[in-house]
Amino acid sequence: MNHNSLKENLDLNQAAHEMHDLLCTLYPICRSITGNGLRETLNLINNRLPLQIHEIPTGTRVFDWTVPREWNIRDAYIKDSQGKRVIDFCSSNLHVVGYSMPVHRKMSLSELQKHLYTLPHRPDWIPYRTTYYQEDWGFCLSHNQLMELKDDEYEVVIDSSLENGHLTYGECLVQGSIDQEFLISCHVCHPSLCNDNLSGTVLATFLGNILSRRSPYYSYRILFIPGTIGSITWLALNREKIASIRHGLVLACLGDPGPFTYKKSRQGNAEIDQCMMYMLNTQNTDHEIMDFSPYGYDERQYCSPGFNLPVGCLMRTPYGRYPEYHTSKDNPDLVTAEYLGDSLEKILLVLDLIEANRKYLNTNPECEPHLGKRGLYKYIGGQNEGLVDQIALLWVLNQSDGMHSLLDIADKSCLDFWLIRDAAHLLEKHGLLIPCA
Ligand code: ZN
């Protein structure tokens, strides 16, 4: 079936490799929910997708929360009595617990140990930890590194600052034919972690770039925000924009080889939920549909009861279900160009559906219109490949009461969406349907 697909004229393989390249560029940066690593990340995204970069001052009240102090870090290490750096922030930014207070002290191993975090069952991996809302400090290291630490006096340095500053986020609006919006949201607050964080970031960047070169029906608002506090801040400061959001997707964990997982919006039957399920079913791709739950990513805020926005979350293997999650093994080897490309393709297919899905009104609803006199009835009898098209016309006419979308009709009739869409276009051309506003 021919339709204007967002995939048209797109070299998916090239896009997949460019996404992975961008991911590798962003990987070494030490990001957090505020600070210069986040700014540097947004500036690099800005080279591919022009962003409006917002700076929200520390102390700004956002619903029940307050924008925190800004955290920046220059260096951190643990030195033994010989002056050797046994743990070095320069070799992995995961070594420092995110939002650690500044420290410069000498201490014994037993005192230091209270601030060390490891994964004993994965002795080579470094865990990822944060302490955003409680003043503390700590180091994360592999369990093997911990085992090598001798009873010694250590010099412990975290050269960080926690000061009044800003929360930074990036936003891009791709204007469509109508002002109603599709919200795409991703978190950009994790340091060197790929599937959780950077896969969604690079996909959102490329989607924005592709959409800005097309003429989409919906306007697309793309948010690059620190998790939780970022979506709360955006919702608090943009209340007038919320009524325009017709659909939304949170993108995360989209570069690993696992099958797709779609977490439905809180509404459960929103158009985005319906389109996502239709796409995953018709692509015959292994997948799992999860009902909404109030834990996960920023869909928790968009789907809080005061907003209840139609926002779902697309992932491959979800948070917490792959062993590399929140560890140093969530690196550019876990996320591949191939799976980033596959995720991009599937998201574009969903956007194709949602862009084309409309509701119509039958202008001749009392009995069937006379299709023959309009040249729309081609029944010859016996073998007739036009029969399916006839049935599609009858389904669209019968269900176009302003209540059923084309996708509702496709689901009900078990006919292909694009066949139903073509039938609707033909009927509209003959004045038998008018689109609903
Ligand atoms: Zn995470």
Side-chain angles (χ1 to χ4, degrees):
M1 205 63 44
N2 251 341
H3 61 271
N4 278 341
S5 170
L6 290 163
K7 270 166 62 184
E8 234 162 70
N9 303 322
L10 177 72
D11 185 337
L12 258 176
N13 186 46
Q14 189 189 336
H17 283 95
E18 287 178 13
M19 281 191 288
H20 197 265
D21 289 347
L22 177 60
L23 177 135
C24 292
T25 305
L26 298 175
Y27 177 67
I29 300 171
C30 184
R31 279 165 290 272
S32 188
I33 54 172
T34 61
N36 291 329
L38 182 53
R39 286 190 189 94
E40 189 184 345
T41 300
L42 295 173
N43 285 334
L44 286 164
I45 294 169
N46 190 50
N47 293 339
R48 286 209 166 252
L49 181 68
L51 294 182
Q52 250 186 301
I53 294 179
H54 301 267
E55 298 274 359
I56 312 302
T58 299
T60 305
R61 286 300 304 267
V62 287
F63 299 116
D64 202 34
W65 298 59
T66 305
V67 172
R69 287 182 292 170
E70 183 178 323
W71 185 70
N72 283 294
I73 181 161
R74 288 155 292 275
D75 193 10
Y77 55 86
I78 300 172
K79 258 186 197 170
D80 65 15
S81 57
Q82 310 296 306
K84 183 184 165 218
R85 285 188 181 210
V86 288
I87 302 297
D88 190 352
F89 171 76
C90 299
S91 68
S92 168
N93 59 42
L94 297 181
H95 276 318
V96 172
V97 171
Y99 257 70
S100 281
M101 296 153 54
V103 179
H104 191 171
R105 272 169 49 199
K106 289 198 170 166
M107 62 187 77
S108 66
L109 179 59
S110 64
E111 197 187 343
L112 175 60
Q113 262 174 332
K114 292 177 216 144
H115 297 274
L116 301 183
Y117 302 92
T118 68
L119 295 169
H121 60 293
R122 302 277 185 190
D124 293 330
W125 301 7
I126 306 167
Y128 164 57
R129 293 282 179 99
T130 61
T131 181
Y132 299 141
Y133 301 107
Q134 200 176 347
E135 284 195 13
D136 199 357
W137 62 270
F139 282 86
C140 297
L141 57 160
S142 74
H143 201 67
N144 288 339
Q145 283 175 309
L146 176 67
M147 293 294 99
E148 280 169 24
L149 294 184
K150 294 185 230 21
D151 201 10
D152 197 353
E153 190 183 51
Y154 290 96
E155 183 190 359
V156 178
V157 171
I158 298 180
D159 181 11
S160 65
S161 57
L162 199 51
E163 293 166 346
N164 285 344
H166 295 85
L167 175 148
T168 315
Y169 70 88
E171 182 169 22
C172 168
L173 181 70
V174 178
Q175 182 62 46
S177 313
I178 62 171
D179 290 333
Q180 302 225 312
E181 293 184 6
F182 192 118
L183 179 74
I184 295 172
S185 178
C186 65
H187 63 293
V188 282
C189 51
H190 290 25
S192 291
L193 294 169
C194 282
N195 203 31
D196 178 12
N197 189 81
L198 289 179
S199 67
T201 309
V202 300
L203 274 159
T205 306
F206 276 68
L207 280 168
N209 184 289
I210 293 164
L211 288 160
S212 64
R213 289 183 278 122
R214 306 287 198 273
S215 311
Y217 177 65
Y218 290 106
S219 295
Y220 286 78
R221 186 176 299 279
I222 304 161
L223 297 181
F224 299 86
I225 50 175
T228 308
I229 188 68
S231 50
I232 292 171
T233 299
W234 188 86
L235 287 162
L237 302 180
N238 292 279
R239 296 196 79 136
E240 76 290 353
K241 293 179 185 149
I242 294 167
S244 303
I245 298 173
R246 276 281 295 278
H247 321 284
L249 262 185
V250 170
L251 303 179
C253 301
L254 282 161
D256 68 287
F260 285 98
T261 306
Y262 177 65
K263 177 176 162 184
K264 290 199 242 178
S265 72
R266 182 176 179 272
Q267 298 179 16
N269 58 353
E271 207 175 326
I272 183 65
D273 301 325
Q274 200 188 3
C275 287
M276 193 61 80
M277 288 190 280
Y278 183 89
M279 183 280 292
L280 290 169
N281 285 328
T282 51
Q283 288 296 304
N284 287 321
T285 177
D286 197 14
H287 65 271
E288 185 189 338
I289 304 292
M290 282 164 70
D291 281 329
F292 177 78
S293 56
Y295 53 89
Y297 293 108
D298 288 303
E299 69 281 3
R300 286 160 26 225
Q301 314 311 328
Y302 303 125
C303 297
S304 55
F307 297 114
N308 200 24
L309 293 173
V311 177
C313 176
L314 185 67
M315 297 164 282
R316 298 186 79 101
T317 309
Y319 41 82
R321 285 213 220 150
Y322 54 99
E324 300 88 350
Y325 173 74
H326 280 191
T327 77
S328 53
K329 280 286 168 185
D330 186 351
N331 62 26
D333 295 331
L334 175 70
V335 170
T336 63
E338 179 189 354
Y339 290 104
L340 287 172
D342 184 47
S343 297
L344 177 65
E345 181 189 23
K346 300 302 186 290
I347 297 166
L348 291 174
L349 290 174
V350 166
L351 299 187
D352 281 346
L353 281 174
I354 221 154
E355 287 265 306
N357 192 29
R358 304 287 158 76
K359 287 178 181 159
Y360 289 89
L361 264 184
N362 182 336
T363 58
N364 192 93
E366 292 164 318
C367 298
E368 290 174 0
H370 195 294
L371 296 179
K373 73 180 185 193
R374 295 176 171 88
L376 293 173
Y377 195 69
K378 294 182 204 131
Y379 178 72
I380 305 166
Q383 305 279 311
N384 187 347
E385 58 192 23
L387 191 58
V388 176
D389 302 352
Q390 299 296 304
I391 293 171
L393 292 177
L394 295 176
W395 270 109
V396 174
L397 283 168
N398 184 274
Q399 296 291 304
S400 290
D401 52 6
M403 304 292 285
H404 298 93
S405 71
L406 297 180
L407 191 55
D408 292 331
I409 303 171
D411 279 339
K412 212 169 231 192
S413 65
C414 298
L415 294 173
D416 178 73
F417 173 84
W418 298 104
L419 178 72
I420 291 291
R421 200 282 309 257
D422 286 353
H425 280 188
L426 188 63
L427 292 166
E428 188 184 0
K429 213 168 89 187
H430 285 83
L432 292 169
L433 286 188
I434 48 168
C436 296

